[in-house]
Amino acid sequence: MRQRRLIAGATAFGLITGAGALALPSVQAAEPEEPIVLLNEDFEDGDLSPLVQNGGATLSVVDADGDKALLVQGRANDYDGIKTPANLLRAGGAYTFSAQVRLAAPAGTTTSARFVVEPAYTWVGNTTVSADTWTTVSGTFAAPAGADPATLRAYLGTGDLGGPYDYLVDDVVISGTAAPADGGAWQPTPDPTFVLGGASAPTATPSSAARGTGDVAALTFDDGPNPGETGAVLDLLRDRGITATFCIIGQNVQAAGGAELLQRIVAEGHTLCNHGTSYADMGSWSRDEVETDLKENLRIIRDALGNPEQQVPYFRAPNGSWGATGEVAAALGMQPLGLGNVIFDWDGNDLSEETLTANLRKAFTPGAVVLAHDGGGDRSNTVKAVATVVTEKLAEGWTFTLPRGGAADGATAGITSGFETGVDGWTARGDGVSVALSADARTGSGSLLVTNRTQPWHGAALDVTDGLPVGTAVAVSVWAKLAPGQSPASLKVSVQRDNGGGSAYDGVAGAGASVTSDAWVQLKGTYTLAAAADRAQIYVEGPVGVDFLLDDVSVAPIVETPIQNDVPALQDVLGKQGIEHVGVAIDARETVGTAADLLRKHYNAFTPENAGKPESVQPVEGQFAFTQLDQLLDFADANGIEVYGHVLAWHSQTPAWFFRDGERDLTDSPADQALLKARMEAHIKGIADHIDARYPNGDSPIWAWDVVNEVIADGDTDNPHDMRDSRWFQVLGEGFVDEAFRLADRYFPDAALFINDYNTEMPEKRADYLSLIAALQARAVPIDGVGHQAHVDVARPVQWLEDSIEGVEALDPTLLQAITELDVNASTENQGADVSGTPTDPYSPAFENDADAAAEVGYYYRDLFAMLTEHGDAVESVTFWGISNARTWLRTWPMARPWEQPLPFDDDLQVTPAYWGIVDPSRLPARPADVLPPRIADAADVAAVSNGVSGAKVAYSLPSAIDTLDGVVPLDCLPASGTRFRIGTTTVTCTATDEAGNTRTSTFDVVVTRKQHGKP
């Protein structure tokens, strides 16, 4: 608005002409100039460009106070509104932000507004704004060195919505020192909508060397995508577990089948290179002509991928004719890529398979960029030559990397291990563990042998602190085989992050498999390091005593598939049905990148998966480590997301020092009880004090806590309510639960306090759980809510969980209820969720193919949420245990289970049948044939007394038997109830059969004892 103009003389369309804020400086760029205006938007032209929409609000330019302003309406989140374009802000730059804000709300309404800079979510200029007057929101920001311009973006955020409110914004101005002043070096045409290619510090000089040392090569393919040859090359690379760089021609993307091939190239982790829109020679073109063509090809590529920020970090000049192309490509954020070692597979040369194979063998020299063609003609013999030579080179121990420059330095160059000349930096993980070279290799002549493992976490580790890129998704590949004589076992790849004296342990999503001593098996998954770590290690672990070999390790950056923004948000759908908190279990990985996008869209709450557990928060007595938890709380606070805290007192993942006095185990003596109570209080108070200091106004994002977790055993015990015989119980008895709740109530007075357990839907455990809760209430323990973990399977009846919810409602309708750790497995077994237990039976898939499994999980979610929404008045919260199927713990616990699809989003964060089961069951696929037998509830043994030697007639109650399709099914038990049972133990076998003929049996014992003479 004119009357609120802050800087005169700036063009209204956005960026000041000549500022160059969206273009990387050329190689000779000088120091930055004095601060200049980089962005100035007053909305007078009716458009918000160069600003872009953030979140799901409705944006419109309206008349306000006699001029134009942007109206932001229909906000579901405090970040919904506007955002700066990528590449406006630069590493090391100093910036001033300013905007005029007024609430479009009833008079007297106030809140706070601020700029928030991603990816660290730094607040800038937090200011109270109102509906009564325009307020200037302004502040300064220093961009950290090394920040990525593509992700360094600022949005306008507000205080917690509470209830919906709209606001007006005008005169958004950003000034800073980001533009180069090189006295006339060529710069691209200012274009605030343009997104750079993504190269890290590109130079105009073409790169012609591969990353790494020794037998490494960068494999590149030009002139595609091309139906036939490109697909064959991709098949080959996928089967060999390697990635390459593809130089893409726009007209081929636009041809039939081209877009699909391009999508596959990116999905399978390959790197893109801009090769122009056509085969035209650009050597004599002007810089402006080159710029137009390269930008157009980027547009073609990005449109085909549906990702306007897709990284294309390399450029290769068609025909090797450079002219001004190198300079222009570097300024547009792409590293020029030299031809490297060619195989002469183009027209006019001998294109026989024999000749091309010989040429390709010659092209493989250490450190070479190798050029072959997958398009531009008949390249079938090239594909055959590549298949032959690549196979040979893998067998010889060669590693395939990216060309130097271009894509941000990540793991590809520094994190490859072939164990040909040594252990490549890998070390033993755990006391007594041995790592040594072995001649039993998958490729080349060496591998790493890991022996003498006495703990599950023992194994082999590699320090990747300096090589693992922060905020970048990477593909992790490790080939493994068990040592001779070992029985099959599950191995997995994990990452340890150390920060501020504490450690976090992340599974590499998907990187687990059942491994044998007969063949090499690939452990392959994805991982994102969300924030810098003091130390980061990648390691391989498995069952105690298993010796294994490792070979051909690689970690390489990948491009993530964007989330689907055209589907309803879970938080909206379930919120309308009465479920207030829709959450997901996360760690720091879900605070960056595509996973963070999914989190913000679908969830209004989350649970820290591990960061709040005792071993993470206080690994050593008196030494608290909050870095991991703070990262999550700060993300929640910046994004208006609430946090369900997990967990204050638990038998698992609690350091041993809690229950020891020096080397002595604590007993139930009064002195030891006092010591353990003091430790419990110090732990809970320490967390509360830290959070209160971090959020001094009492505005912590934590809305609830799991106070105690998993205190009921799965079977009968001698303890009241069949309580777990944990170290907490052994020292303090049942009263440890009371103590934990009273302390939590003292130090977290504003949080809802929950008890939490798994298998609460099982009838036997349900009774114990309700009995304990009733006892706590009778003792006036301040319990607010009851958590049901709901780690269920497709055959576990939804009715059982409903019975448990109704049981709590009957006990006390004012108690909140939460589904705290929801996932639905598709295995034939479900032995619970006791991470401290040792399941003995191997899990196996319940369905022959993954599509049927996914469909059945979808139908289970349909029935489950139909039930939960009927109890919307009682069920306050639902939390899914994992952001995606790739991140589910079920894939690796208690053994490798690659078939599991237990969550609403798949490995690439796309919706699954489970999602549609919740949101719109009409979109579920056809239900597969019924192969699931009924489920029979566990039954307790029955005791009876006989007055004579012939035994006793014993009447017993039949256990519950339900089928997920047919409901209650008949149950036949033999010997039947009312039968005379002999003295001693008799096993009763119960059989249930559903309408499809699927049968399940279950047993319990009837124990008859002889009445002793003289006893009443």
Side-chain angles (χ1 to χ4, degrees):
M1 296 186 174
R2 287 183 294 274
Q3 63 267 40
R4 294 188 300 279
R5 177 85 54 214
L6 298 183
I7 295 179
T11 57
F13 66 81
L15 296 182
I16 301 303
T17 302
L22 294 187
L24 286 175
S26 64
V27 183
Q28 296 83 17
E31 293 296 317
E33 296 177 347
E34 291 296 314
I36 61 173
V37 177
L38 303 171
L39 182 150
N40 179 22
E41 179 60 294
D42 61 5
F43 310 105
E44 294 300 315
D45 60 356
D47 185 20
L48 64 96
S49 177
L51 296 165
V52 297
Q53 182 161 343
N54 194 43
T58 299
L59 307 181
S60 58
V61 176
V62 299
D63 291 323
D65 295 341
D67 217 327
K68 300 291 187 183
L70 184 71
L71 176 61
V72 183
Q73 297 176 291
R75 303 165 65 237
N77 306 286
D78 61 2
Y79 58 82
D80 288 344
I82 54 173
K83 188 174 188 176
T84 62
N87 303 298
L88 176 66
L89 310 178
R90 296 299 181 80
Y95 300 95
T96 298
F97 298 89
S98 179
Q100 296 286 305
V101 177
R102 194 189 81 192
L103 300 184
T109 304
T110 63
T111 188
S112 58
R114 81 282 299 190
F115 288 93
V116 182
V117 185
E118 297 173 334
Y121 299 96
T122 304
W123 284 20
V124 178
N126 192 46
T127 305
T128 299
V129 297
S130 73
D132 302 321
T133 186
W134 289 93
T135 301
T136 301
V137 178
S138 64
T140 60
F141 171 74
D148 180 1
T151 60
L152 196 64
R153 303 174 69 175
Y155 65 83
L156 195 63
T158 68
D160 186 7
L161 293 185
Y165 59 83
D166 305 331
Y167 69 84
L168 292 158
V169 60
D170 198 9
D171 295 334
V172 181
V173 180
I174 301 176
S175 60
T177 59
D182 55 6
W186 182 84
Q187 293 292 333
T189 304
D191 180 358
T193 66
F194 175 67
V195 178
L196 294 169
S200 177
T203 67
T205 303
S207 173
S208 297
R211 301 182 184 187
T213 59
D215 289 339
V216 298
L219 194 56
T220 68
F221 294 92
D222 280 14
D223 290 358
N226 174 33
E229 282 88 337
T230 301
V233 168
L234 290 171
D235 290 344
L236 169 68
L237 300 178
R238 178 199 60 206
D239 294 343
R240 301 300 189 274
I242 61 178
T243 55
T245 301
F246 285 81
C247 294
I248 302 299
I249 289 182
Q251 72 178 46
N252 292 342
V253 174
Q254 295 175 321
E260 290 77 10
L261 283 169
L262 178 63
Q263 291 162 8
R264 182 182 170 190
I265 288 170
V266 171
E268 295 183 3
H270 303 288
T271 303
L272 298 183
C273 165
N274 190 332
H275 205 35
T277 61
S278 66
Y279 297 91
D281 188 317
M282 300 183 189
S284 61
W285 288 14
S286 70
R287 292 179 176 86
D288 291 343
E289 290 172 327
V290 174
E291 176 189 7
T292 299
D293 190 85
L294 297 192
K295 283 184 173 179
E296 174 61 14
N297 201 36
L298 285 176
R299 184 198 64 77
I300 292 170
I301 291 170
R302 288 165 171 168
D303 285 354
L305 293 170
N307 180 5
E309 298 183 2
Q310 172 67 47
Q311 291 197 343
V312 185
Y314 294 103
F315 163 77
R316 181 176 271 155
N319 308 307
S321 182
W322 290 98
T325 59
E327 179 185 8
V328 175
L332 296 177
M334 292 171 283
Q335 174 60 51
L337 184 59
L339 297 183
N341 292 358
V342 299
I343 67 169
F344 304 100
D345 59 340
W346 54 83
D347 295 345
N349 299 309
D350 180 357
L351 301 182
S352 67
E353 179 184 352
E354 180 181 7
T355 297
L356 294 182
T357 301
N359 291 348
L360 185 54
R361 288 187 178 121
K362 293 177 182 177
F364 269 89
T365 58
V369 172
V370 178
L371 169 59
H373 287 80
D374 64 324
D378 182 357
R379 307 302 182 202
S380 57
N381 284 339
T382 294
V383 176
K384 295 175 183 177
V386 170
T388 298
V389 178
V390 165
T391 302
E392 292 173 353
K393 295 304 175 184
L394 284 172
E396 294 168 9
W398 281 66
T399 298
F400 292 87
T401 69
L402 290 176
R404 291 185 182 176
D409 284 338
T412 305
I415 309 179
T416 55
S417 299
F419 308 111
E420 301 307 313
T421 59
V423 297
D424 294 344
W426 288 76
T427 60
R429 177 177 169 84
D431 293 339
V433 176
S434 172
V435 296
L437 290 179
S438 169
D440 185 359
R442 173 180 173 268
T443 62
S445 59
S447 66
L448 189 72
L449 175 63
V450 185
T451 58
N452 300 329
R453 301 176 54 258
T454 57
Q455 295 290 336
W457 54 271
H458 283 180
L462 179 67
D463 190 320
V464 294
T465 309
D466 296 329
L468 195 61
V470 174
T472 298
V474 296
V476 179
S477 175
V478 179
W479 289 86
K481 186 171 79 166
L482 301 190
Q486 301 281 314
S487 299
S490 294
L491 302 182
K492 64 180 180 179
V493 186
S494 301
V495 173
Q496 177 178 333
R497 296 179 286 119
D498 301 325
N499 278 101
S503 298
Y505 307 92
D506 307 327
V508 174
S514 180
V515 183
T516 71
S517 60
D518 299 325
W520 289 92
V521 175
Q522 188 179 27
L523 312 178
K524 185 177 183 180
T526 59
Y527 181 77
T528 302
L529 181 65
D534 297 338
R535 188 186 187 201
Q537 301 174 74
I538 188 171
Y539 61 97
V540 180
E541 57 184 328
V544 170
V546 174
D547 299 337
F548 54 80
L549 298 124
L550 306 177
D551 202 0
D552 297 333
V553 179
S554 69
V555 185
I558 59 173
V559 177
E560 298 177 285
T561 303
I563 69 167
Q564 296 158 287
N565 281 310
D566 58 347
V567 296
L570 289 176
Q571 60 177 312
D572 296 338
V573 172
L574 295 177
K576 292 176 181 177
Q577 296 171 355
I579 298 175
E580 183 171 343
H581 292 93
V582 180
V584 61
I586 69 166
D587 61 29
R589 284 172 282 182
E590 281 73 53
T591 64
V592 296
T594 307
D597 294 338
L598 188 80
L599 172 58
R600 283 187 287 257
K601 175 178 174 64
H602 288 282
Y603 302 103
N604 60 16
F606 68 71
T607 297
E609 186 175 6
N610 289 295
K613 292 175 180 175
E615 71 175 7
S616 298
V617 172
Q618 195 181 183
V620 178
E621 185 169 12
Q623 297 180 18
F624 287 87
F626 288 109
T627 301
Q628 314 290 348
L629 184 59
D630 286 345
Q631 289 174 349
L632 299 181
L633 294 180
D634 290 349
F635 175 82
D637 187 55
N639 288 276
I641 297 172
E642 294 192 278
V643 176
Y644 186 108
H646 178 76
V647 50
L648 298 177
W650 188 25
H651 70 277
S652 183
Q653 290 180 253
T654 298
W657 64 260
F658 262 87
F659 311 108
R660 307 183 87 174
D661 182 10
E663 297 299 316
R664 181 182 64 85
D665 290 338
L666 298 183
T667 68
D668 60 356
S669 70
D672 284 357
Q673 288 183 335
L675 176 58
L676 186 53
K677 287 181 179 180
R679 286 174 171 170
M680 180 189 285
E681 179 170 9
H683 183 73
I684 295 174
K685 181 178 184 296
I687 297 172
D689 288 348
H690 176 80
I691 292 174
D692 288 344
R694 198 167 186 86
Y695 302 96
N697 297 322
D699 194 23
S700 161
I702 296 177
W703 78 273
W705 271 103
D706 279 336
V707 179
V708 296
N709 191 42
E710 300 176 1
V711 299
I712 304 294
D714 288 321
D716 295 336
T717 70
D718 293 330
N719 301 328
H721 322 293
D722 288 323
M723 290 186 71
R724 182 187 297 274
D725 200 38
S726 68
R727 292 293 290 132
W728 287 110
F729 185 90
Q730 290 168 4
V731 177
L732 296 176
E734 181 179 348
F736 93 85
V737 177
D738 306 45
E739 185 76 9
F741 271 97
R742 296 190 196 284
L743 290 170
D745 185 54
R746 181 188 309 168
Y747 292 112
F748 294 99
D750 298 325
L753 306 180
F754 281 77
I755 189 172
N756 190 43
D757 219 316
Y758 66 90
N759 279 358
T760 62
E761 64 277 4
M762 302 300 288
E764 289 280 313
K765 193 164 185 176
R766 176 197 308 140
D768 290 329
Y769 200 39
L770 294 174
S771 172
L772 173 60
I773 294 165
L776 294 175
Q777 290 197 308
R779 296 193 293 267
V781 173
I783 178 173
D784 299 313
V786 176
H788 310 273
Q789 289 185 13
H791 292 293
V792 296
D793 63 89
V794 287
R796 184 168 291 191
V798 170
Q799 180 63 54
W800 287 355
L801 180 57
E802 183 171 27
D803 290 344
S804 296
I805 291 172
E806 290 177 343
V808 176
E809 289 174 328
L811 180 65
D812 182 354
T814 68
L815 282 171
L816 303 175
Q817 295 194 65
I819 306 301
T820 57
E821 304 182 16
L822 176 61
D823 48 36
V824 181
N825 82 49
S827 295
T828 56
E829 299 290 334
N830 185 0
Q831 298 181 31
D834 186 0
V835 295
S836 61
T838 307
T840 54
D841 294 332
Y843 283 63
S844 59
F847 294 86
E848 292 185 359
N849 66 71
D850 290 344
D852 283 352
E856 188 62 30
V857 170
Y859 282 93
Y860 192 95
Y861 269 102
R862 178 198 66 179
D863 298 342
L864 175 63
F865 276 87
M867 180 274 289
L868 291 176
T869 54
E870 287 181 3
H871 295 273
D873 291 341
V875 178
E876 173 78 7
S877 171
V878 173
T879 299
F880 298 87
W881 206 246
I883 195 79
S884 71
N885 287 335
R887 283 275 284 111
T888 175
W889 70 310
L890 298 178
R891 289 273 179 93
T892 58
W893 186 90
M895 54 201 65
R897 297 153 69 181
W899 60 85
E900 297 292 9
Q901 305 170 74
L903 296 165
F905 300 98
D906 69 12
D907 292 29
D908 293 322
L909 302 179
Q910 308 299 293
V911 300
T912 65
Y915 169 88
W916 291 119
I918 302 167
V919 173
D920 183 1
S922 70
R923 298 188 62 171
L924 285 170
R927 194 164 194 173
D930 183 6
V931 298
L932 302 172
R935 190 55 60 87
I936 304 173
D938 292 337
D941 292 343
V942 177
V945 177
S946 171
N947 291 320
V949 296
S950 61
K953 289 185 177 181
V954 179
Y956 56 79
S957 298
L958 294 179
S960 171
I962 303 178
D963 183 72
T964 52
L965 273 78
D966 305 327
V968 176
V969 295
L971 188 67
D972 294 322
C973 295
L974 295 174
S977 177
T979 300
R980 181 172 294 277
F981 287 80
R982 60 179 175 78
I983 295 172
T985 300
T986 301
T987 297
V988 176
T989 300
C990 297
T991 302
T993 303
D994 67 12
E995 294 180 4
N998 302 303
T999 298
R1000 187 186 296 271
T1001 61
S1002 180
T1003 63
F1004 62 91
D1005 291 336
V1006 173
V1007 181
V1008 179
T1009 56
R1010 178 76 182 272
K1011 182 177 181 181
Q1012 297 183 28
H1013 182 69
K1015 293 289 179 93

